[in-house]
Amino acid sequence: MIKLSEISTRPPSDVDEKKLKKLTDDYEERIGKLNEILRAAQKHSLLVILQGMDGSGKDGAVKNVFKDCTPFNLSVYAFKKPTEIEFAHDFLWRVHQQVPAKGDIKIFNRSHYEDILIQRVHKWIDEERVAKRMAAINAFEELITFDNNTTILKFYLHISYDQQEKELKERIDEPDKHWKHNDGDWKERESWDEYMRCYEYAINESKIPWTVVPVDERWYRDYIISKKVCEALEAMNLEYPK
Amino acid sequence: MIKLSEISTRPPSDVDEKKLKKLTDDYEERIGKLNEILRAAQKHSLLVILQGMDGSGKDGAVKNVFKDCTPFNLSVYAFKKPTEIEFAHDFLWRVHQQVPAKGDIKIFNRSHYEDILIQRVHKWIDEERVAKRMAAINAFEELITFDNNTTILKFYLHISYDQQEKELKERIDEPDKHWKHNDGDWKERESWDEYMRCYEYAINESKIPWTVVPVDERWYRDYIISKKVCEALEAMNLEYPK
């Protein structure tokens, strides 16, 4: 059982920043090469789930970690507020449609976990539904793992309350970040503690484990995520078809 | 635990055929009216799953039972051999896309159960995968039930070995049935006992119950299915919106 308040949002004090940045470059390059073989072999797939509070750096992680990948078989899907037709179905309906085919990498920027996060924080769903949805999520993730050779990597981007304030302010102050500004983010920030409680539940009740990524320093975020992604691709023992 | 060999494929001997046919007409008419309210209310949905050996009368059941329904919110999806892109995903990927939206009736002519029937009979999948798929099916059906107010009705169209022969022969002899003739059906017939064993497993391991429908007499098939469908729609307590 993890408790987010006990996990630092900063890199360990004894790490060598320069060395880790060099390692990150290596991982990113290897990810690019492994992605080519994944595409050619068409036997496995990779699903990367990114969750975190506004300003925790989900977009930046995608941009950096996969920068050496061709887009032939890699794509990002950003889950927003459900559409009318999506609302007329179960919460996993739109999610299931987006899972990667064999040979593909899919990145979920936000995901089905929102359906037990924002919806729970605002009490749009009751606790019974939360528990049933959590069980459905576990069954769904198991399904795509055993029946489609999908490796699922889940990252919770762990940002501090103070760091989030800085990030959100930058969106107001810097012209090239202004398009990301959203009053709603400041509103959600008021429910910080409740969000942490709901994230802890999601992380602790998940059968497929999460990686809690300290993101106050972006270079450390990229190091952790690129390392995990690279190792997951290597564990597939990918080979070009004969 | 049901055993198909112990269940008759014929109507009980004491039923009044004329009376049941009259009741069937009534049920079908009520289904048509309830379907209108279902569409207007947009709160519930109905999924009807039809499974059975070739010639067991799945098409005829659809044609008769829903003959008084408008097609605005009712449709049939016939599952055939998966396409290349479907094969590159888990077995429920294509199925989940077809579940009914709130306000709709969807009829599955064959279904996700084929993935533990024909695939198991021919040993395209091992027994471990069969068990995992069965668990995934139960979780999936539970999901659309609790998260989208979907009522699921599952019908196994129970035909005798001899009756199937008659039906398949008619497809050769009668001009308006000839388009349905398929050499593959006669091939599958050779695995009859194995199919029965796999159907029994699917029926017995399902959390949401099946109705075993004796279909050697088509009028009795229509009576049983229309009765169940009508009762399920009535149990929704549908009302036109105020």
Side-chain angles (χ1 to χ4, degrees):
Chain A
M1 299 285 279
I2 64 117
K3 192 115 188 64
L4 289 172
S5 59
E6 292 166 2
I7 301 173
S8 175
T9 57
R10 300 196 49 76
S13 55
D14 59 344
V15 295
D16 179 339
E17 180 176 341
K18 212 175 144 188
K19 196 183 143 198
L20 260 51
K21 281 180 170 170
K22 171 79 186 63
L23 278 172
T24 305
D25 283 342
D26 289 349
Y27 286 133
E28 287 166 0
E29 206 180 310
R30 276 152 71 192
I31 290 168
K33 284 176 186 160
L34 288 161
N35 181 48
E36 294 285 311
I37 317 178
L38 182 81
R39 177 185 174 212
Q42 300 232 340
K43 286 193 176 164
H44 296 78
S45 54
L46 178 67
L47 173 60
V48 177
I49 296 174
L50 299 175
Q51 283 285 161
M53 299 297 285
D54 299 304
S56 61
K58 297 182 287 291
D59 288 12
V62 174
K63 218 189 282 186
N64 296 345
V65 172
F66 300 97
K67 71 173 165 39
D68 296 328
C69 291
T70 56
F72 293 114
N73 59 326
L74 178 141
S75 61
V76 185
Y77 193 86
F79 287 91
K80 318 247 179 197
K81 190 184 158 198
T83 63
E84 199 171 337
I85 184 71
E86 288 169 354
F87 260 130
H89 289 87
D90 68 275
F91 79 106
L92 288 174
W93 182 72
R94 65 178 187 156
V95 180
H96 205 163
Q97 293 177 32
Q98 299 300 333
V99 298
K102 285 191 185 78
D104 289 358
I105 294 180
K106 182 64 76 89
I107 302 155
F108 281 180
N109 192 337
R110 303 190 183 274
S111 68
H112 42 294
Y113 284 95
E114 290 298 330
D115 297 290
I116 53 166
L117 288 165
I118 188 168
Q119 296 205 20
R120 187 183 191 189
V121 166
H122 293 287
K123 299 196 171 23
W124 299 332
I125 54 172
D126 63 22
E127 290 299 295
E128 190 193 336
R129 189 172 298 261
V130 170
K132 283 184 174 177
R133 284 187 172 180
M134 188 67 237
I137 287 173
N138 279 328
F140 166 67
E141 292 180 351
E142 199 187 336
L143 165 67
I144 63 172
T145 302
F146 85 76
D147 211 53
N148 207 40
N149 260 345
T150 305
T151 300
I152 304 177
L153 295 178
K154 302 192 270 187
F155 298 101
Y156 168 67
L157 275 56
H158 190 35
I159 191 172
S160 66
Y161 187 71
D162 291 345
Q163 184 65 26
Q164 191 202 33
E165 190 176 6
K166 278 183 211 159
E167 298 289 340
L168 295 185
K169 274 188 180 155
E170 273 185 10
R171 292 182 178 180
I172 298 174
D173 300 336
E174 297 183 20
D176 66 336
K177 287 192 178 171
H178 196 73
W179 65 278
K180 282 193 161 188
H181 169 71
N182 178 359
D183 284 337
D185 296 351
W186 291 92
K187 187 81 194 148
E188 293 305 315
R189 181 172 157 80
E190 291 172 15
S191 308
W192 185 275
D193 291 345
E194 189 55 16
Y195 267 108
M196 291 306 109
R197 195 179 74 80
C198 294
Y199 265 113
E200 279 166 1
Y201 172 88
I203 293 169
N204 287 322
E205 298 294 320
S206 280
K207 279 195 196 159
I208 294 177
W210 285 80
T211 302
V212 177
V213 188
V215 298
D216 284 2
E217 297 286 352
R218 302 313 207 194
W219 59 266
Y220 191 69
R221 169 200 69 189
D222 294 345
Y223 165 72
I224 295 288
I225 298 179
S226 64
K227 183 174 189 288
K228 280 273 174 184
V229 170
C230 189
E231 286 169 355
L233 288 169
E234 279 174 349
M236 292 177 189
N237 296 313
L238 300 166
E239 278 179 27
Y240 282 105
K242 295 264 155 40
Chain B
M1 297 285 279
I2 65 117
K3 192 118 187 61
L4 289 172
S5 58
E6 292 165 4
I7 300 174
S8 175
T9 57
R10 301 197 46 78
S13 53
D14 58 345
V15 295
D16 179 341
E17 179 176 342
K18 210 175 148 190
K19 195 183 141 200
L20 261 51
K21 281 180 170 169
K22 172 77 186 61
L23 278 172
T24 304
D25 283 342
D26 289 349
Y27 286 133
E28 286 165 0
E29 206 181 310
R30 275 151 70 191
I31 290 168
K33 283 176 187 162
L34 288 161
N35 181 47
E36 294 285 311
I37 317 179
L38 183 81
R39 177 186 176 214
Q42 299 233 339
K43 287 194 176 162
H44 297 76
S45 54
L46 178 67
L47 173 61
V48 177
I49 296 174
L50 299 175
Q51 284 284 163
M53 299 298 285
D54 298 305
S56 61
K58 298 182 286 293
D59 288 11
V62 174
K63 218 188 283 186
N64 297 347
V65 173
F66 300 97
K67 72 172 163 40
D68 295 328
C69 291
T70 56
F72 293 113
N73 58 327
L74 178 142
S75 62
V76 185
Y77 193 87
F79 288 91
K80 317 247 178 196
K81 190 183 160 202
T83 62
E84 199 171 336
I85 185 71
E86 288 169 353
F87 260 131
H89 289 87
D90 68 274
F91 79 106
L92 288 174
W93 182 73
R94 65 177 187 155
V95 180
H96 204 164
Q97 292 176 33
Q98 299 300 333
V99 297
K102 285 190 186 77
D104 289 359
I105 294 180
K106 182 65 77 89
I107 302 155
F108 281 0
N109 192 337
R110 303 189 183 276
S111 67
H112 42 294
Y113 283 95
E114 289 297 330
D115 297 289
I116 54 167
L117 288 164
I118 187 167
Q119 296 204 21
R120 187 183 191 188
V121 167
H122 293 287
K123 298 195 171 26
W124 298 331
I125 54 171
D126 63 23
E127 290 299 296
E128 190 194 336
R129 188 172 298 262
V130 171
K132 284 184 173 178
R133 283 186 171 181
M134 188 68 236
I137 287 172
N138 279 328
F140 165 68
E141 292 180 352
E142 199 188 337
L143 165 68
I144 62 171
T145 303
F146 85 76
D147 212 53
N148 207 40
N149 260 345
T150 305
T151 300
I152 305 177
L153 294 178
K154 303 191 270 187
F155 297 101
Y156 169 66
L157 275 56
H158 190 36
I159 191 173
S160 67
Y161 187 72
D162 291 344
Q163 185 65 26
Q164 191 202 33
E165 189 176 7
K166 279 183 209 158
E167 298 289 339
L168 295 185
K169 275 187 178 156
E170 273 185 11
R171 292 182 178 181
I172 298 174
D173 300 333
E174 296 183 21
D176 65 336
K177 288 192 178 169
H178 195 74
W179 65 279
K180 283 192 160 189
H181 169 72
N182 177 359
D183 283 338
D185 296 350
W186 290 91
K187 187 79 194 150
E188 293 305 316
R189 181 172 156 83
E190 291 171 14
S191 307
W192 185 274
D193 291 345
E194 188 57 13
Y195 268 107
M196 291 305 110
R197 195 180 74 82
C198 294
Y199 265 114
E200 278 167 1
Y201 172 88
I203 294 169
N204 288 322
E205 297 294 321
S206 281
K207 279 195 197 157
I208 294 177
W210 286 79
T211 302
V212 176
V213 187
V215 298
D216 284 2
E217 298 286 354
R218 301 316 206 191
W219 59 266
Y220 191 68
R221 169 200 69 189
D222 294 344
Y223 165 71
I224 295 287
I225 298 179
S226 63
K227 183 173 188 290
K228 281 272 174 187
V229 169
C230 189
E231 286 169 354
L233 288 168
E234 279 174 348
M236 292 177 188
N237 296 314
L238 299 166
E239 279 179 27
Y240 282 106
K242 296 265 155 43

